[in-house]
Amino acid sequence: MNPSPHAPSDQIHKACQALANNRVVAMPTETVYGLAARIDRPVALEKIFQIKGRPSFDPLIVHVASRAQAKLLAKSWPKTAEHLAKKFWPGPLTLVVPKGPLVSDIISSGLDTVGLRMPNHPIAIQLLESCQQPLAAPSANRFGRTSPTLASHVESEFPEAIESGEVLVLDGGLCQIGVESTVVLCEEGSVTVLRPGGIPKTEIESAFLADDLHVEVRLAEQNKKAASPGHTDHHYMPSKPLTVYWGSRDAIDFHRNRLPSHYQEVSLPNDSRLAARELYASLRSADQNSQKSELIIYRDSQNHDLWEAIDDRLQRAATYRIGTPTRN
Ligand code: TXA
Ligand code: MG
């Protein structure tokens, strides 16, 4: 349930003014909260990197209110992008396409492409429509840390910037998807998944097949870091060491010698949609509430739906790993 899916118009008005005045707005989306700045405000864009502690080589994705607005930002718009935008927007899919002149090098980190996404959250859409400007926004967490799925998470990430008024937070309740968008590089005739996320790869394949289009959908090679520069091996990490165990809970006794002596368990529901929604909040609250020095998360191996994205995040959040996710 989303307690406040719409924001009162005065809040949106205030947020638009803040954005026009080079401030940064934490905006809810259906995936995670984003830290947003107008693409035509370089000072505010620089602030995002500074507030997050984000390296300048990691490009920002740009949020748009419509497909038409997206096309204005692209140098060219491959048929694969058109098809996926029609099928999945608004939604958790970021399309990487050649960038046009409206996208500065601050946003693209000097790459000649830009990631574009139309979010599916009423407050994000209200904001984008009222400002009449695309908004660049990474997830609203300190670089490398767990992404926020509640406004209170954002508040605990950036207390000083919020206190000083540099960052304004719009509360949209709990993010309904809970993991970030799938990022795909769109080329003519092929699509490469750079980061698994809210839309499973199989759904992207089905979207082309349903219309009898022969498009190759592949996974980016893990060792090609430049493909999605910010998606590093150590990411989404809680501050306490996290052990991820892939396997049946009953079999954990076989691994006793690899477990820490004091730990708190984080459990996830079996349904991947629910698990994705709860993942970051569970990690965050265990991290904050536990006196114990380590966290451990169990996950039974099955691979479908959003487990692809959840497993990717768990791999990167983990300090220690026992077992591996089963790939089908
Ligand atoms: O769901 C989401 O995508 C959230 C919400 C706020 O929209 N945003 C998000 O942004 O997760 P961020 O910056 O935390 O992750 C975006 C990822 C990064 O790994 C970045 O390196 C990659 O997308 N990326 C951005 N632009 C790119 C480009 N032109 N080429 C390749 N990868 C890109
Ligand atoms: Mg992020």
Side-chain angles (χ1 to χ4, degrees), residues 27 50 69 78 89 151 159-160 163 175 189 194-195 197 212 234 262 265 280 291 295 313 322:
M27 104 182 144
Q50 179 221 320
Q69 196 176 45
W89 282 4
E160 283 155 23
E163 177 71 29
C175 301
L194 306 180
R195 175 180 75 179
D212 226 8
H234 298 287
H262 291 93
E265 284 182 30
Y280 292 138
Q291 298 301 313
L295 311 173
R313 305 304 188 266
I322 304 175

Tab-separated table of all heavy atoms in Angstrom, residues 27 50 69 78 89 151 159-160 163 175 189 194-195 197 212 234 262 265 280 291 295 313 322:
chain	number	residue	atom	x	y	z
A	27	MET	N	12.978	12.366	-4.887
A	27	MET	CA	11.646	12.071	-5.436
A	27	MET	C	11.374	10.566	-5.390
A	27	MET	O	12.249	9.752	-5.700
A	27	MET	CB	11.548	12.641	-6.854
A	27	MET	CG	11.658	11.670	-7.965
A	27	MET	SD	11.588	12.472	-9.577
A	27	MET	CE	12.749	11.398	-10.438
A	50	GLN	N	28.316	15.463	-5.404
A	50	GLN	CA	28.971	15.843	-4.155
A	50	GLN	C	28.200	15.267	-2.950
A	50	GLN	O	28.793	14.665	-2.051
A	50	GLN	CB	29.028	17.370	-4.125
A	50	GLN	CG	29.652	17.983	-2.903
A	50	GLN	CD	28.835	19.203	-2.485
A	50	GLN	OE1	28.381	19.981	-3.332
A	50	GLN	NE2	28.636	19.342	-1.182
A	69	GLN	N	9.313	13.339	-24.912
A	69	GLN	CA	10.392	14.068	-24.224
A	69	GLN	C	11.708	13.281	-24.293
A	69	GLN	O	12.775	13.855	-24.457
A	69	GLN	CB	9.998	14.331	-22.765
A	69	GLN	CG	10.860	15.386	-22.102
A	69	GLN	CD	10.410	15.703	-20.683
A	69	GLN	OE1	10.123	14.794	-19.906
A	69	GLN	NE2	10.356	16.983	-20.355
A	78	PRO	N	16.742	4.128	-31.633
A	78	PRO	CA	16.632	2.823	-32.305
A	78	PRO	C	15.222	2.237	-32.187
A	78	PRO	O	14.508	2.541	-31.230
A	78	PRO	CB	17.633	1.950	-31.539
A	78	PRO	CG	18.544	2.895	-30.835
A	78	PRO	CD	17.753	4.142	-30.583
A	89	TRP	N	6.999	1.562	-20.588
A	89	TRP	CA	6.918	2.870	-19.932
A	89	TRP	C	5.480	3.268	-19.718
A	89	TRP	O	4.663	2.998	-20.600
A	89	TRP	CB	7.606	3.934	-20.780
A	89	TRP	CG	9.108	3.928	-20.678
A	89	TRP	CD1	9.894	3.059	-19.990
A	89	TRP	CD2	9.994	4.869	-21.300
A	89	TRP	NE1	11.220	3.399	-20.146
A	89	TRP	CE2	11.309	4.506	-20.940
A	89	TRP	CE3	9.811	5.988	-22.120
A	89	TRP	CZ2	12.430	5.217	-21.391
A	89	TRP	CZ3	10.915	6.691	-22.559
A	89	TRP	CH2	12.208	6.303	-22.188
A	151	ALA	N	10.898	7.369	2.370
A	151	ALA	CA	11.422	8.730	2.561
A	151	ALA	C	12.345	8.776	3.784
A	151	ALA	O	13.356	9.479	3.784
A	151	ALA	CB	10.273	9.716	2.703
A	159	PRO	N	21.227	13.603	6.357
A	159	PRO	CA	20.615	14.501	7.344
A	159	PRO	C	21.085	15.954	7.221
A	159	PRO	O	20.275	16.873	7.312
A	159	PRO	CB	21.038	13.886	8.695
A	159	PRO	CG	22.129	12.927	8.403
A	159	PRO	CD	21.995	12.522	6.975
A	160	GLU	N	22.372	16.141	6.924
A	160	GLU	CA	22.884	17.521	6.899
A	160	GLU	C	22.380	18.298	5.679
A	160	GLU	O	21.960	19.450	5.807
A	160	GLU	CB	24.418	17.517	6.895
A	160	GLU	CG	24.963	17.219	8.281
A	160	GLU	CD	26.351	16.616	8.252
A	160	GLU	OE1	27.074	16.804	7.260
A	160	GLU	OE2	26.687	15.924	9.240
A	163	GLU	N	18.807	19.162	6.359
A	163	GLU	CA	18.747	20.203	7.396
A	163	GLU	C	19.108	21.580	6.802
A	163	GLU	O	18.435	22.578	7.089
A	163	GLU	CB	19.741	19.802	8.511
A	163	GLU	CG	19.908	20.773	9.654
A	163	GLU	CD	18.681	20.821	10.546
A	163	GLU	OE1	17.979	19.788	10.640
A	163	GLU	OE2	18.435	21.901	11.136
A	175	CYS	N	8.296	2.372	-1.934
A	175	CYS	CA	8.434	2.105	-3.377
A	175	CYS	C	7.917	0.698	-3.658
A	175	CYS	O	8.353	-0.267	-3.024
A	175	CYS	CB	9.889	2.227	-3.804
A	175	CYS	SG	10.581	3.853	-3.479
A	189	GLY	N	18.491	-3.965	-33.738
A	189	GLY	CA	18.575	-5.427	-33.836
A	189	GLY	C	19.074	-6.132	-32.597
A	189	GLY	O	19.045	-7.358	-32.514
A	194	LEU	N	22.476	-4.245	-19.135
A	194	LEU	CA	23.671	-3.775	-18.412
A	194	LEU	C	23.500	-3.964	-16.907
A	194	LEU	O	24.465	-4.125	-16.184
A	194	LEU	CB	23.929	-2.293	-18.714
A	194	LEU	CG	24.032	-1.897	-20.191
A	194	LEU	CD1	24.289	-0.400	-20.318
A	194	LEU	CD2	25.137	-2.676	-20.876
A	195	ARG	N	22.244	-3.889	-16.446
A	195	ARG	CA	21.957	-4.101	-15.020
A	195	ARG	C	20.586	-4.768	-14.918
A	195	ARG	O	19.602	-4.207	-15.379
A	195	ARG	CB	21.932	-2.763	-14.268
A	195	ARG	CG	21.507	-2.912	-12.812
A	195	ARG	CD	21.478	-1.584	-12.057
A	195	ARG	NE	20.327	-0.761	-12.414
A	195	ARG	CZ	20.065	0.422	-11.877
A	195	ARG	NH1	20.873	0.936	-10.974
A	195	ARG	NH2	18.993	1.102	-12.244
A	197	GLY	N	17.045	-5.724	-13.260
A	197	GLY	CA	16.236	-4.869	-12.397
A	197	GLY	C	14.766	-5.229	-12.458
A	197	GLY	O	14.420	-6.395	-12.654
A	212	ASP	N	6.676	-10.586	-33.114
A	212	ASP	CA	7.411	-11.252	-34.180
A	212	ASP	C	8.664	-10.495	-34.612
A	212	ASP	O	9.057	-10.508	-35.769
A	212	ASP	CB	6.482	-11.436	-35.391
A	212	ASP	CG	6.595	-12.845	-35.938
A	212	ASP	OD1	7.255	-13.675	-35.276
A	212	ASP	OD2	6.046	-13.089	-37.034
A	234	HIS	N	31.167	-3.960	-5.458
A	234	HIS	CA	30.805	-3.627	-4.082
A	234	HIS	C	29.823	-2.479	-4.089
A	234	HIS	O	30.189	-1.324	-4.244
A	234	HIS	CB	32.056	-3.290	-3.266
A	234	HIS	CG	32.983	-4.453	-3.189
A	234	HIS	ND1	32.709	-5.562	-2.417
A	234	HIS	CD2	34.129	-4.721	-3.836
A	234	HIS	CE1	33.669	-6.452	-2.578
A	234	HIS	NE2	34.537	-5.977	-3.435
A	262	HIS	N	28.310	-14.295	16.015
A	262	HIS	CA	27.152	-13.486	16.394
A	262	HIS	C	26.568	-12.854	15.155
A	262	HIS	O	27.232	-12.056	14.499
A	262	HIS	CB	27.568	-12.359	17.350
A	262	HIS	CG	27.978	-12.866	18.678
A	262	HIS	ND1	29.275	-13.160	18.988
A	262	HIS	CD2	27.238	-13.158	19.777
A	262	HIS	CE1	29.337	-13.611	20.218
A	262	HIS	NE2	28.111	-13.626	20.727
A	265	GLU	N	19.704	-12.639	11.572
A	265	GLU	CA	19.171	-13.127	10.302
A	265	GLU	C	18.265	-12.092	9.655
A	265	GLU	O	17.505	-11.416	10.322
A	265	GLU	CB	18.294	-14.352	10.554
A	265	GLU	CG	19.081	-15.590	10.826
A	265	GLU	CD	18.137	-16.768	11.006
A	265	GLU	OE1	17.035	-16.780	10.392
A	265	GLU	OE2	18.516	-17.656	11.760
A	280	TYR	N	15.624	-3.921	0.487
A	280	TYR	CA	16.483	-2.850	1.014
A	280	TYR	C	16.049	-2.416	2.408
A	280	TYR	O	16.885	-2.112	3.256
A	280	TYR	CB	16.503	-1.657	0.055
A	280	TYR	CG	17.207	-1.935	-1.263
A	280	TYR	CD1	16.680	-1.472	-2.465
A	280	TYR	CD2	18.401	-2.648	-1.302
A	280	TYR	CE1	17.327	-1.701	-3.673
A	280	TYR	CE2	19.049	-2.890	-2.501
A	280	TYR	CZ	18.513	-2.416	-3.684
A	280	TYR	OH	19.149	-2.650	-4.884
A	291	GLN	N	22.521	-5.162	17.409
A	291	GLN	CA	23.751	-4.928	18.168
A	291	GLN	C	24.828	-5.870	17.643
A	291	GLN	O	25.998	-5.695	17.891
A	291	GLN	CB	23.535	-5.267	19.667
A	291	GLN	CG	22.478	-4.421	20.344
A	291	GLN	CD	22.820	-2.941	20.280
A	291	GLN	OE1	23.943	-2.568	20.566
A	291	GLN	NE2	21.859	-2.129	19.860
A	295	LEU	N	25.380	-9.601	9.643
A	295	LEU	CA	24.026	-9.933	9.201
A	295	LEU	C	24.131	-11.135	8.268
A	295	LEU	O	25.127	-11.311	7.577
A	295	LEU	CB	23.431	-8.776	8.409
A	295	LEU	CG	23.530	-7.393	9.040
A	295	LEU	CD1	23.058	-6.344	8.045
A	295	LEU	CD2	22.683	-7.343	10.299
A	313	ARG	N	21.815	-7.914	-6.682
A	313	ARG	CA	22.057	-6.964	-5.582
A	313	ARG	C	22.680	-7.670	-4.383
A	313	ARG	O	23.568	-7.126	-3.725
A	313	ARG	CB	20.752	-6.294	-5.127
A	313	ARG	CG	19.974	-5.596	-6.227
A	313	ARG	CD	20.799	-4.548	-6.983
A	313	ARG	NE	19.961	-3.790	-7.884
A	313	ARG	CZ	19.767	-4.076	-9.171
A	313	ARG	NH1	20.388	-5.107	-9.744
A	313	ARG	NH2	18.968	-3.322	-9.917
A	322	ILE	N	28.040	-17.720	0.588
A	322	ILE	CA	28.062	-19.180	0.689
A	322	ILE	C	27.109	-19.698	-0.380
A	322	ILE	O	25.929	-19.346	-0.386
A	322	ILE	CB	27.606	-19.658	2.087
A	322	ILE	CG1	28.474	-19.019	3.179
A	322	ILE	CG2	27.663	-21.186	2.168
A	322	ILE	CD1	28.026	-19.332	4.602
